[in-house]
Amino acid sequence: MFFIDTVELTGLGNRSYLAGGATAAVAVDPPRDVDRLVEAAARQGVRIALVVETHLHNDYVTGGLELARLTGARYLVPAAARVAFDRVPVADGDVFEVDAGLALRAVATPGHTPHHTAYVLEEDGRPVAAFTGGSLLIGTVGRPDLVEPRLTEQLARAQHASAHRLADSLPDTTAVLPTHGFGSFCAAGHSADGHSGTTIGTERKQNEALVKEADTFVADLLAGLDDIPAYYAHMGPANAAGPAPIDLTPPRRADAAELAARLAAGEWVVDLRSRVAFAEGHLAGSFNIEGGGSLATYLAWLIPWGRPVTLLAESPEQIAAAQRELARVGIDRPAAAATGGPQDWTADGDRPRSFPRADFAALAAALEPAVAPDAERPVVLDVRRSSERAGGAVSGSVHIPVHLLPGRIGEVPPGRVWVHCASGMRAAIAASLLDAAGREVVAVDDGFANAVEAGLTSVPAPAAPGTDAPGTAHP
């Protein structure tokens, strides 16, 4: 009998896997913090004999090299991936023994990257699972535009062909176990719910790459590609060079005077508390990205790469969890950290700042002509992505996606700014950026469906040539 354990990386929308038999196992696409896979192997009572990468990842720093070093496992990496370290180069059709009666067969599946390789787990020669990385996801495929813009269409066609190669060569009962597609920006389009798992047979009926002919699939895929997180540019090179071992020793503790000095030096001080707590009171100049959730994605996307970051939280445990999450995307060592609350972090003689929160009904009331004459009309800032805004927007709103806001705050018109997203999390980030810049702000903490119900929405006009989104605030 074989087992497959799943290691969830919910903040990044990825999964890693440990699969094996009675005595040995293979680790697939391990995260930077490899202790979770080591612990999974210990629970199963097996040694990790193989560590495999489906591709050089663009969205996180791999722990593969370090896990292989710690366990003595063979480190399997696609042969065409250019790396600066010793590994076992994998070619299409290669077979590797995992345990007695259990083997791993490599299947070239270019598309997400040119060298992408899936691995089929076989028990006594019978396919039982396919680790599909960024090729065949649940309902969709991995995006083809992360390597080189000139290769995007070619890789999109390769994705279609690779999906069909897997579907045509594997039984319907074969489990499909992708790395991406659970909220990851590496997925192209919307990935279906994968909590209950999927199989080749299910994907034949629902996967975009398997139900559409090639030209239609490619056209739809390219039309639906969304923004690429800025930090992705740093992940591939880090993985090709061979990442250093993770360092999770606690950061140095900072007092109020040091926090003030770091803010004055232009460093980032990030408050990990809930957006409700932050709005009620926070250190002036600090930014709010809630711990858990999408902390790593949004902090790494927003911060100028390499800028020192100091973390604020209510407890050391929250600092430790954030440090682990950030290390997965190459933000290795916070410059400092502090725990407690805004009264502990604010220098003598200063006071914490705060701003109000509201819902879309309150925004609708604030926009009533009797309440807001033209000269006093609130500024409404939409920080959703362009693809979201295309489906409807608050009439008259300014559009700057949250990941572009740090460099474009000067484009926000004067006045009190009501900032919204789709649910409240990104609006809270944007509100903190605006508040740190000295703007008067209201964070709309509400679902966008309520904007529709309040009669606030219209469909924006198409973007003019040269703009980055429909209805953007700049020419």
Side-chain angles (χ1 to χ4, degrees), residues 171-219:
D172 280 355
T173 55
T174 308
V176 175
L177 302 171
T179 299
H180 304 311
F182 310 96
S184 168
F185 280 92
C186 273
H190 176 70
S191 182
D193 179 21
H195 289 292
S196 58
T198 191
T199 63
I200 287 291
T202 299
E203 292 309 304
R204 287 186 202 278
K205 300 173 184 176
Q206 73 173 16
N207 196 287
E208 297 170 347
L210 298 176
V211 299
K212 296 178 180 179
E213 56 87 23
D215 288 343
T216 301
F217 167 77
V218 170

Side-chain angles (χ1 to χ4, degrees), residues 23-327:
T23 64
V26 55
V28 181
D29 287 342
R32 185 83 176 280
D33 47 331
V34 298
D35 54 327
R36 298 179 65 191
L37 284 162
V38 172
E39 290 165 2
R43 286 194 299 271
Q44 292 286 354
V46 298
R47 67 183 178 88
I48 297 177
L50 300 173
V51 176
V52 305
E53 305 282 7
T54 56
H55 61 293
L56 288 185
H57 304 284
N58 289 290
D59 62 330
Y60 69 91
V61 178
T62 181
L65 185 63
E66 177 64 4
L67 183 59
R69 185 190 69 79
L70 287 173
T71 62
R74 301 174 72 193
Y75 189 26
L76 278 53
V77 178
R82 296 181 178 179
V83 297
F85 48 83
D86 291 335
R87 88 288 195 206
V88 177
V90 177
D92 183 47
D94 286 351
V95 177
F96 302 90
E97 182 180 4
V98 179
D99 203 357
L102 202 63
L104 205 64
R105 177 167 53 87
V107 180
T109 48
H112 187 47
T113 66
H115 60 263
H116 192 284
T117 301
Y119 297 88
V120 176
L121 186 68
E122 299 177 337
E123 184 181 41
D124 297 326
R126 176 179 63 91
V128 293
F131 300 104
T132 55
S135 55
L136 191 66
L137 309 185
I138 301 177
T140 185
V141 295
R143 59 193 299 168
D145 59 331
L146 302 180
V147 177
E148 159 60 55
R150 291 170 295 182
L151 296 178
T152 297
E153 182 173 351
Q154 175 186 329
L155 290 176
R157 292 190 178 279
Q159 278 289 51
H160 187 269
S162 292
H164 280 268
R165 184 184 186 197
L166 287 169
D168 293 345
S169 63
L170 297 173
D172 280 355
T173 55
T174 308
V176 175
L177 302 171
T179 299
H180 304 311
F182 310 96
S184 168
F185 280 92
C186 273
H190 176 70
S191 182
D193 179 21
H195 289 292
S196 58
T198 191
T199 63
I200 287 291
T202 299
E203 292 309 304
R204 287 186 202 278
K205 300 173 184 176
Q206 73 173 16
N207 196 287
E208 297 170 347
L210 298 176
V211 299
K212 296 178 180 179
E213 56 87 23
D215 288 343
T216 301
F217 167 77
V218 170
D220 290 348
L221 183 67
L222 298 182
L225 292 173
D226 215 329
D227 300 334
I228 300 173
Y231 72 92
Y232 277 23
H234 305 281
M235 300 297 97
N239 289 324
I246 195 169
D247 180 2
L248 296 178
T249 55
R252 65 186 304 276
R253 298 297 169 178
D255 59 16
E258 180 177 340
L259 294 175
R262 290 188 177 280
L263 285 168
E267 298 184 10
W268 276 43
V269 176
V270 178
D271 190 329
L272 305 171
R273 295 176 303 145
S274 75
R275 56 184 184 258
V276 175
F278 185 87
E280 290 175 348
H282 55 270
L283 174 64
S286 63
F287 304 138
N288 178 221
I289 306 179
E290 293 176 315
S294 301
L295 168 67
T297 295
Y298 281 99
L299 179 53
W301 198 343
L302 289 164
I303 193 170
W305 197 252
R307 182 78 57 86
V309 60
T310 293
L311 302 178
L312 307 178
E314 293 169 336
S315 70
E317 291 76 19
Q318 291 168 331
I319 296 290
Q323 184 178 353
R324 175 182 288 266
E325 188 174 348
L326 294 175

